[in-house]
Amino acid sequence: MAKTVTKSARKPAAKTASKAAAKPAAKAAAKPAAKTASKAAAGKAKAKPAKKPTLTISMLKPSVNNMTVRVFARAAGLDHAEADAWGHTRSPEYMARNPAHLTPMIEDKGLPRGVLWESCAIMQYLSNKHGLEKFYPKAPAKRAMIDSAMFYLIGTLYPYVARATYPALGFPQYAGEVGHSDAHPDRKSEAQKAAVAAIAEPLEVFHSFFRDGKPFIGGKSPSIADIRLAATLEFLAVIDYALPKWAKEYMAAMEKKLGKAYAGPAGDVRGYIAHVRSQAQA
């Protein structure tokens, strides 16, 4: 009986001891393995390169033409990078890609020549590519109105705005116009005043025809034509242009609707205007 008791007592003790010894050993073996796996995972995470945006926008911060595309890219949530082209648009490298030496310019792999300039064309292209019907509807009639508003702006309203504001902004005038010539300063001043007076008519066309009682040209939400119009009107602050009440409310509604997407680029334009005005007053 004693032997039986001894054997049965020893076996559990041996097993317990064996298990106790095995647990620390297993833990000890597991720790280096876990650390090795963790280090390997960390190494892989570090080695993975950051994904580069597929869209690059070359731009000039003080320009409302450039502001247009900068606002649109942000409002549309497009993955993009911005490159400041100030002082580089006439460089051989820039001219090789863009012989028109204009901004804004986008670089995108889907383009036949790799680049595209003109703010309205850029917004149209990106809207089509990414299916952004909110900003540029596919329905032919609605799209035609957006196109008409943009073409009327760049063909009629913007030339007046440029003639009225460029002298104050310090931007070069267009060749062939009085402001670019060696005409007497009085003649240049008269031409600028005539341009200021001419702004009222196309501005009213946007209010009465293109908006036609709607919050925006695009209806309840801003379209690419609205982004282009609101950006253009930003320049008028440099000459203290007396915007009609509806235009002030419209610009405020644009900024409220688009939030930081509008406020950021607009801040750059407003900052430049404030700088120009401070220099004129000094």
Side-chain angles (χ1 to χ4, degrees):
M1 287 293 293
K3 286 184 180 179
T4 305
V5 172
T6 305
K7 282 183 181 180
S8 59
R10 282 178 183 174
K11 281 182 181 178
K15 283 183 180 179
T16 303
S18 176
K19 284 182 181 179
K23 281 182 180 178
K27 285 182 180 178
K31 283 182 180 178
K35 285 182 180 179
T36 305
S38 178
K39 286 181 180 179
K44 284 182 181 179
K46 288 181 181 179
K48 191 177 181 180
K51 187 180 178 182
K52 292 183 179 179
T54 56
L55 179 69
T56 300
I57 304 173
S58 294
M59 53 83 203
L60 304 177
K61 290 183 178 181
S63 165
V64 294
N65 299 326
N66 290 259
M67 173 186 160
T68 299
V69 174
R70 296 178 70 205
V71 169
F72 171 74
R74 286 165 168 75
L78 299 177
D79 183 25
H80 69 285
E82 291 182 348
D84 194 339
W86 191 269
H88 302 293
T89 56
R90 296 275 183 171
S91 68
E93 193 238 347
Y94 194 91
M95 293 279 284
R97 294 177 296 158
N98 181 344
H101 53 80
L102 294 174
T103 60
M105 176 187 78
I106 64 167
E107 297 171 62
D108 192 54
K109 292 179 181 179
L111 294 163
R113 300 300 299 273
V115 301
L116 180 69
W117 59 87
E118 295 295 346
S119 62
C120 294
I122 289 171
M123 291 191 294
Q124 288 170 318
Y125 165 71
L126 292 174
S127 293
N128 289 333
K129 179 177 179 179
H130 298 285
L132 301 171
E133 292 187 58
K134 175 183 176 181
F135 296 100
Y136 193 41
K138 281 188 177 181
K142 290 183 179 180
R143 175 168 286 199
M145 294 303 289
I146 301 300
D147 289 339
S148 179
M150 289 195 300
F151 297 158
Y152 182 63
L153 189 152
I154 61 177
T156 302
L157 176 61
Y158 191 77
Y160 292 152
V161 171
R163 292 168 190 146
T165 63
Y166 278 20
L169 289 164
F171 291 174
Q173 300 278 303
Y174 292 102
E177 295 189 351
V178 176
H180 183 77
S181 71
D182 57 359
H184 190 277
D186 288 347
R187 285 200 62 198
K188 292 184 179 181
S189 178
E190 288 173 8
Q192 184 181 9
K193 288 177 182 177
V196 173
I199 290 171
E201 183 179 60
L203 199 56
E204 176 56 27
V205 171
F206 279 100
H207 173 51
S208 61
F209 182 79
F210 289 112
R211 286 181 69 223
D212 189 27
K214 305 185 299 293
F216 306 103
I217 297 169
K220 293 182 179 179
S221 298
S223 66
I224 57 176
D226 289 290
I227 294 173
R228 189 67 183 87
L229 175 59
T232 297
L233 298 182
E234 290 283 348
F235 262 174
L236 294 177
V238 78
I239 57 170
D240 290 322
Y241 186 87
L243 283 170
K245 183 182 177 183
W246 75 263
K248 292 178 182 178
E249 292 173 348
Y250 171 76
M251 292 180 73
M254 281 290 293
E255 186 161 1
K256 183 178 180 180
K257 192 76 174 179
L258 299 179
K260 292 181 180 179
Y262 186 94
D268 290 327
V269 171
R270 293 167 187 169
Y272 181 75
I273 291 173
H275 168 73
V276 168
R277 296 184 67 171
S278 67
Q279 293 296 105
Q281 293 168 1

